[in-house]
Each structure stands twice: as structure tokens, then as C-alpha cells.
Amino acid sequence: MENELKDFLLKNGFSLLIEQINESNDSKYNPLTLAVREKNLLIITHLIQTGCDVDAFDALGNTALYLAVSMKSMEIIEHLIKNEANIYLPVLNDDEESAFDAAIRLEIDFEVWQFYVKHLKYKADHGCRDSQYEYALRSMRGDGVSQDYKIAVKYLQMAAIQKHANALYEYANCYEYGVGVQKNITVARDNYKTSAENGCLVALDKHLELDARIKTIDEELMNFSRHLEAGAGAEPAHLHPAAHGRRVPALLEPWLGAPHALPRARGHAHRVH
């Protein structure tokens, strides 16, 4: 890559930088951190396009992004973030701080954060499931973006469709507790199961817990149906939206949330899927 870089520099009239690169071989910079130090976006772009590791450390333990933040070079910072530079990677020097730590210290964290979140959303909208998951969590907490549970669920669903195990878990959690969506323990149970199948071990316990809960609801509904068919007296009951306007035993109210329809007056208990 070094010879290719020198050819590129010669063709574009950067003979001085060739001398600096030659000097840097026995010095403290690598080509990318040197290009950042010189604030030369053209060379930075060329280096990244030809496969340069954007998070490579130089002899001082700095990354290109850390150096750009230290210099408050906002255009270069944004460009490096767009090319997947890690804002949380600690540098290998005595400070051991990340580029974002440096941004906070230098009071440019808001601008750096805006670049990062903007790029994160772009990647999420273009199908990156890890970005969809992270953007969802930030939307859930209001971390760098407006807190919006419905937006969070939207991006969790996008990542869940791509079988992101942690996104499936959080998506199920939203349905279990009714966060950003109508509570539905059947959907929660099924997504906990899929999450477990894709490697999220804690999801298995949640799946088994909700599966047992749903079976209990089914049994109670069946008993209630038999009670009605037997013509028993008045039963303490209340209207509940999950029962589609029918009256349900007060015992079941804390459990309802999944779309279980109550049994008809004649016939068998059933579930609506």
C-alpha cells in the first residue's frame, strides 16, 4: 500500500508528503494519521478506499479519529465516522481515552455525537441490523436522539426480521410489557423463542415462563367456559379489551394482554392468532 500511496501522491503533486511518509517510517505516524495531521481529506479518502485500517494505531498509540478530534478537524472527523471509525476505541497511550472521551474534554462532543447518530441512522435505514439494534436502544433511552418508544420498536422489528438475537429479545420484551406496542404475551413468547434459537440464552427462560403463563390462561378460560355452559350463577367479571368486549373473570385480568378471545357461550375455548 505504501508504494501505491506514493504513486498516488506523485500523480497529484504531493511530493512533500512523500518525504514526510518516508520520515514517518522511522518515526511516530502511519500514513493515515499523517494525512490527518496534514488535514488532507483527499489522501485520507484515498487511503481508506485502498483498504487502510481506519482504526490503525500509530507509534504514539493514536488513531486517525483520535488525532482528528484532538485537532478539532470537524470535516475529517465526520468523514472518518462515515467510514466506520470507532469513536469508543481507547488510544494506546498514557491517557487511554477514546476519541469520544477526547471530544467531551474538548467540548466538541455534541458535534461528534451528531455525526455518529446521523451515520448510525443511515446504516440502520439501509439494512445494517447491528445499527438498527443500537439505534432502537438509543431511541428507547433518549440517548443522543429523541426518546420515542414506537420508533424504538420499529427498528427492533427491522433487526428482529434479520434474526438479530438481542433485538429479538428486546422486541419480545416490548410486547411482554406493552412498551411502544399493545401488550401481547403470545407475540412476546414467540419472539423470545426465536431469540433463544439465535443464541440469546437468557431468552429461553423468558420463553418458558410465558409459555407456562399462556397455558394457565387457556386452562382458566376453558374452566370459565364450562362454568358458563353449566348455567352457574353470576361470576365476578369485568370487560377487558383483550377479550374483545366479553366479560372475563377478575382473576385473569393481570394475565391478559395476549389476543386470547373468550370462548363462545356454546362451543370450545379457542385462541385468536
Side-chain angles (χ1 to χ4, degrees):
M1 179 182 293
E2 185 176 311
N3 290 333
E4 184 179 347
L5 174 60
K6 290 178 181 178
D7 290 342
F8 174 79
L9 293 174
L10 280 173
K11 290 176 183 177
N12 289 275
F14 296 112
S15 57
L16 180 60
L17 272 174
I18 293 179
E19 294 177 12
Q20 292 175 317
I21 289 174
N22 288 333
E23 291 173 2
S24 73
N25 287 338
D26 300 317
S27 183
K28 49 193 176 182
Y29 298 104
N30 61 37
L32 187 57
T33 55
L34 177 61
V36 169
R37 192 187 71 165
E38 297 298 318
K39 298 184 178 180
N40 196 308
L41 192 58
L42 177 63
I43 296 174
I44 292 169
T45 301
H46 176 76
L47 286 167
I48 293 172
Q49 288 176 345
T50 53
C52 181
D53 181 359
V54 73
D55 287 325
F57 296 101
D58 62 19
L60 292 176
N62 295 325
T63 63
L65 182 58
Y66 182 82
L67 189 58
V69 168
S70 300
M71 297 166 58
K72 297 187 178 180
S73 300
M74 305 310 296
E75 185 180 19
I76 294 175
I77 292 169
E78 182 173 14
H79 186 72
L80 291 170
I81 288 174
K82 283 182 179 178
N83 284 279
E84 313 298 333
N86 187 343
I87 67 173
Y88 300 118
L89 182 65
V91 294
L92 301 178
N93 56 32
D94 293 338
D95 294 328
E96 295 185 349
E97 63 179 358
S98 67
F100 192 66
D101 293 331
I104 294 173
R105 173 170 53 79
L106 297 170
E107 299 182 346
I108 58 170
D109 51 304
F110 180 73
E111 292 86 348
V112 172
W113 191 249
Q114 280 189 315
F115 295 152
Y116 178 74
V117 172
K118 178 182 175 182
H119 182 55
L120 180 68
K121 186 177 186 301
Y122 176 84
K123 291 195 296 180
D125 289 339
H126 286 76
C128 176
R129 66 178 194 165
D130 289 334
S131 297
Q132 290 163 351
Y133 174 62
E134 183 179 346
Y135 192 79
L137 294 186
R138 295 193 182 284
S139 297
M140 191 73 72
R141 300 190 298 258
D143 184 1
V145 297
S146 299
Q147 187 176 48
D148 190 319
Y149 294 140
K150 290 184 178 180
I151 291 293
V153 171
K154 171 187 171 182
Y155 282 92
L156 284 175
Q157 183 182 36
M158 291 165 69
I161 289 171
Q162 299 191 71
K163 298 294 189 287
H164 190 291
N166 290 336
L168 281 158
Y169 182 90
E170 296 296 339
Y171 187 59
N173 196 261
C174 288
Y175 273 98
E176 181 180 2
Y177 296 103
V179 178
V181 291
Q182 184 175 348
K183 184 177 179 180
N184 187 319
I185 61 173
T186 302
V187 172
R189 176 197 63 183
D190 294 345
N191 279 279
Y192 280 133
K193 182 174 184 289
T194 308
S195 176
E197 291 171 345
N198 282 274
C200 183
L201 299 181
V202 294
L204 181 59
D205 288 340
K206 297 292 291 183
H207 164 67
L208 295 174
E209 174 192 331
L210 291 192
D211 195 50
R213 186 188 302 183
I214 289 169
K215 288 177 180 176
T216 299
I217 293 173
D218 287 341
E219 290 171 2
E220 292 292 341
L221 288 173
M222 182 65 74
N223 291 336
F224 186 56
S225 174
R226 290 169 181 161
H227 179 81
L228 291 177
E229 291 176 354
E235 179 80 12
H238 306 276
L239 291 174
H240 192 286
H244 305 287
R246 296 188 177 91
R247 302 182 72 81
V248 303
L251 172 66
L252 294 183
E253 284 200 335
W255 299 82
L256 283 168
H260 288 276
L262 281 184
R264 297 183 178 90
R266 302 286 179 185
H268 299 288
H270 65 285
R271 281 188 292 171
V272 176
H273 295 281

